[in-house]
Amino acid sequence: MAEMWINMGPQHPMTHGLWNMRVKVDGETIVDSEPVIGYLHRGWEKMVENRTYPQIIPMADRLCYGSSFTWSHVYCMTVEKLMDIEVPERAKYIRAMSDELQRIGSHLMWLAAIGTDLGNLTVFLYATRDRELFLDLFTSLCGARMTYNYCRIGGVRNDAPENWVRDLERTLDYFEKRLKEYDMLIDKSKLFRMRMEGLGYMSAKDAINAGITGPVLRASGVKYDIRHNDPYEVYDELDWQMCTHDACDTWARYRVRMMEMQESVNIVRDILKKMPKSGPIRVKPPRAAPVGTAIARMEDPRGESLMYLVGDGTDKPYRLSVRSPLFVILSATPQLLKGSKIADVPSILGMLDVCMGETDR
Amino acid sequence: MENVTYSVEQVRDKVSQAFPDVVFDDARMEARRLYMTADRSILFNLCKLLKDELGFCHCSLVSGVDRCDKFQTVYHITSYESNITLEIVVDLPHDEPVVDSVTPLWGGANWHERETYDMFGIIFKGHPNLKRLLLPEDYKFFPMRKDCSEGGL
Amino acid sequence: MYLDLWGLVGGLVHWLMVDVIGTILNWLHIYALAEWLGSPGVLNIVTILVVALIILIVGMLVSITLIWQERKMLGRFMDRVGTQVGPFGLFQNFADAFKVLVKEYIVPNAADRLIYPLAPILIIGVSMAMFVTIPYSQGFYMSNSSLSLILTLALFGVIPFAVLLGGWASNNKYTLIGGMRAAAQTCAYEVPMLLSVASVVVLTGSMSLMEIVTYQQENLWLIIPLIIGFFVFLISMISEIERVPFDLPEAEAELVEGWGTEYGGMRFGLIMMSEYARAFVGSSLIALLFLGGWDGLLPEFIPAGLWFLLKVLLVFTIFIWARAALPRVRTDQILNICWKRLLPLAAINLFIAVFFKSMGWF
């Protein structure tokens, strides 16, 4: 068969979101590929230049529907840095706890997607069912399932509700049992491993140079986690392990994400132990930010998220630039895909946990 | 890649030794943050020094700012060994927004530079594939420029 | 206890044509027509047509039951309730059939005008034709040919050709790749399948499904001596009827809907239906060849056909289980499994069969 270009997207079951992966195939083998993005470009960075600082928080939520809390969190951290605000201790713990719950929720959404990518609907439904528990937790915490609007400049909106600790611990206990079930369903299955092992190889050197961050980078054996190496909020006081894997392939990416879910459970348990039982959760920020610039970076479930903020003394940002982890990882997909089979495209790209909201902005 | 860790002060000294023109914002310097302003003529060599000798292996973000009288490109570069994120601000004249591309050094800067070109019209010399990324290829404006208001030009 | 379909239908037709219509015609003094209707040739043809209609309806009903069973069981496997339209969700299939029936009939502009409509006809027709060879019990069958086993397998061999035609004629890259995959995979899996069938033929000395079942009734179920062949045949059959984990031709993750992407409306519905018809034929082949067909306990009280259908549903449950637990494999892996694992196993199985036969144990 002659070589031909196949458009996988913008409307395609493989693309989680609206983008186009053009692959050039020779028979079933991929010889070249080109990601095409921009279908979901909303002009986010231009929009925020016409909004006041608090108005941007719900918009930051919409950068990624899968992990909206982390995005409003990194935005609030950036503004706090510019305004030079110190967040109360309890609010820091609540933020870190929400981060970790959000990480579990986001990873479960990834697991659901990877289930359908590999052709197994059971994984999809199990993961969706378990994610619902964490969405319920968020509902009781801030009243919304997906876009929380919970983080505030200078703290969080409200304190945890009654019985929060009890509900959280019950959910975590249940979820740890579920993790073992995933282990039996996927890790112990030869066919699942056949679909993942040895695919999408990327060495540590290539991964660093390509700007890949987050679980995908750690799956290449690089010990770098912003929570550990550049700690924000209270992560330097917590007791936890970084999850890395040396195999550099799709299987390693899968394992790292599964281990991270377990580790997030441990972090939340640790936070519940160390969190101050009461105290202020919010300080009042000034209306306008000073002239100057600020950056804040954090470990999003998908990688390194960074915001660069330029303030001009008014109550609106002069410029707010977003570093989305997936934006950079997608630019490296041709390296990942080259030489694999067309049937591996969903498997390899699904492991990156593609989210178009933050990529196109 | 050598596994040598540097403190912020050591990085600052080494950079100012090699490039005396680089201006540091010492007031904002923190344990893991370093802020500097460089001229566009030395940018590429500065980045090369940072990458090859000081272990700054990861380009976090390349973004543009339209200051009305001038453009700025801002580079956030991270070292995995030293855990430092530094910020390089480069001023570009408004009528000639051209700067050297750092994509040959860090592949991760590829799409960031394309996006900055897409939004601001800043030309990155030496970039392998400087085309529109997020916007359609026949788009006529650079929408993130301040003179391009919400309702169009 | 079993239903003698041919005797029943023949008697009914005779009663209707000779005793009822013939009497009326005689009373009307149209003796020639009455005599023609009562002649053995006409009676035979009408009987055959009625039996064929009954077999088709029963086959379709069983296939629909399989769809319902899959929906319900898959739902339970996935911790949800499954379909809920009507009592026990039984009406969902009819609702779906009505939905696809009223859909618009779309032909892609660039599709081949002749072959594009022809391929589904071929697929559906061949799938329905497979019902002919399947006996439900000693009395409930359409044809009792001495080569019915070979005929069924030959009809299975037509499907990849039709799929390739449909995939090519749709003029779409996904469908083309899907068609290619179907051809490669099905052709490869026919080899171990036929080898394991050969071991059955060696032991029973017959190619008639009826006689194979009779042999098993008299001796023992062939799953006991040919356990390896049973598993080889089961796995090859999953590939043959294109179900998870071997549903590469319609891998919806990367090929949208595989070779059937461009078929919509009732064509899609009928193709889907014919897939389950083939799943029914495949499960019944396994039941007939290895699980003793309609052989079961208490043959005086429980009808033979019921035992047979029970075994078919049991085999299909294995297919559903595989679908719930396994992901889809890749093209090169599926061929690896076939040539490197199944083929040697099938050959060993054949040697075992020949050994048993030559020792005179069977």
Side-chain angles (χ1 to χ4, degrees), chain A residues 5 7 28 122 129 195 344, chain C residues 79 173-174 181 324 328:
Chain A
W5 281 99
N7 281 304
E28 290 234 358
T122 313
R129 177 190 64 190
R195 283 305 302 279
D344 295 331
Chain C
D79 202 4
K173 289 167 183 170
Y174 302 126
R181 283 181 177 184
R328 184 180 304 116

Side-chain angles (χ1 to χ4, degrees), chain A residues 10-83:
Chain A
Q11 297 278 341
H12 192 278
M14 180 276 296
T15 58
H16 309 302
L18 205 59
W19 64 296
N20 186 357
M21 187 81 218
R22 300 187 70 219
V23 293
K24 191 182 190 184
V25 292
D26 177 13
E28 290 234 358
T29 312
I30 294 166
V31 291
D32 197 4
S33 55
E34 180 197 2
V36 181
I37 63 167
Y39 294 92
L40 206 62
H41 181 61
R42 295 162 288 180
W44 195 89
E45 290 175 2
K46 187 77 177 175
M47 251 194 299
V48 298
E49 289 175 8
N50 297 292
R51 303 284 189 281
T52 58
Y53 284 108
Q55 279 176 340
I56 300 172
I57 300 170
M59 287 176 61
D61 270 342
R62 272 118 185 116
L63 272 175
C64 177
Y65 59 91
S67 70
S68 54
F69 182 81
T70 52
W71 280 106
S72 51
H73 185 186
V74 70
Y75 166 70
C76 290
M77 272 176 18
T78 322
V79 181
E80 283 151 14
K81 186 102 186 205
L82 184 63
M83 294 177 173

Side-chain angles (χ1 to χ4, degrees), chain A residues 265-279:
Chain A
V265 171
N266 298 346
I267 295 176
V268 174
R269 288 233 168 88
D270 202 33
I271 286 174
L272 286 183
K273 232 186 291 165
K274 292 180 178 161
M275 183 156 71
K277 293 288 169 267
S278 60

Side-chain angles (χ1 to χ4, degrees), chain A residues 16-205:
Chain A
H16 309 302
L18 205 59
W19 64 296
N20 186 357
M21 187 81 218
R22 300 187 70 219
V23 293
K24 191 182 190 184
V25 292
D26 177 13
E28 290 234 358
T29 312
I30 294 166
V31 291
D32 197 4
S33 55
E34 180 197 2
V36 181
I37 63 167
Y39 294 92
L40 206 62
H41 181 61
R42 295 162 288 180
W44 195 89
E45 290 175 2
K46 187 77 177 175
M47 251 194 299
V48 298
E49 289 175 8
N50 297 292
R51 303 284 189 281
T52 58
Y53 284 108
Q55 279 176 340
I56 300 172
I57 300 170
M59 287 176 61
D61 270 342
R62 272 118 185 116
L63 272 175
C64 177
Y65 59 91
S67 70
S68 54
F69 182 81
T70 52
W71 280 106
S72 51
H73 185 186
V74 70
Y75 166 70
C76 290
M77 272 176 18
T78 322
V79 181
E80 283 151 14
K81 186 102 186 205
L82 184 63
M83 294 177 173
D84 202 16
I85 297 171
E86 182 62 23
V87 180
E89 187 73 5
R90 186 171 162 82
K92 282 186 178 177
Y93 274 102
I94 291 180
R95 279 179 176 190
M97 178 179 67
S98 309
D99 267 351
E100 294 310 317
L101 292 177
Q102 181 73 80
R103 194 181 311 278
I104 297 175
S106 172
H107 281 355
L108 278 174
M109 202 173 76
W110 154 82
L111 186 65
I114 200 70
T116 50
D117 282 344
L118 295 177
N120 189 303
L121 211 58
T122 313
V123 176
F124 169 78
L125 279 152
Y126 282 11
T128 320
R129 177 190 64 190
D130 296 342
R131 177 167 172 259
E132 212 57 36
L133 295 171
F134 290 94
L135 296 188
D136 285 349
L137 281 178
F138 270 115
T139 313
S140 67
L141 183 65
C142 42
R145 289 177 78 248
M146 309 258 285
T147 44
Y148 307 116
N149 194 10
Y150 181 57
C151 211
R152 284 289 182 276
I153 301 164
V156 290
R157 188 179 70 205
N158 55 282
D159 210 333
E162 259 182 89
N163 295 333
W164 166 257
V165 178
R166 185 200 65 185
D167 292 351
L168 186 56
E169 271 172 356
R170 276 185 193 168
T171 309
L172 293 181
D173 287 342
Y174 170 81
F175 181 63
E176 282 197 317
K177 277 184 227 148
R178 306 297 312 171
L179 275 177
K180 290 198 183 72
E181 196 175 304
Y182 292 132
D183 210 49
M184 288 194 284
L185 179 63
I186 303 174
D187 294 34
K188 299 233 185 332
S189 166
K190 172 102 175 143
L191 284 182
F192 271 105
R193 298 190 65 147
M194 264 164 64
R195 283 305 302 279
M196 293 195 253
E197 279 175 348
L199 296 179
Y201 183 84
M202 187 153 227
S203 69
K205 197 161 168 287

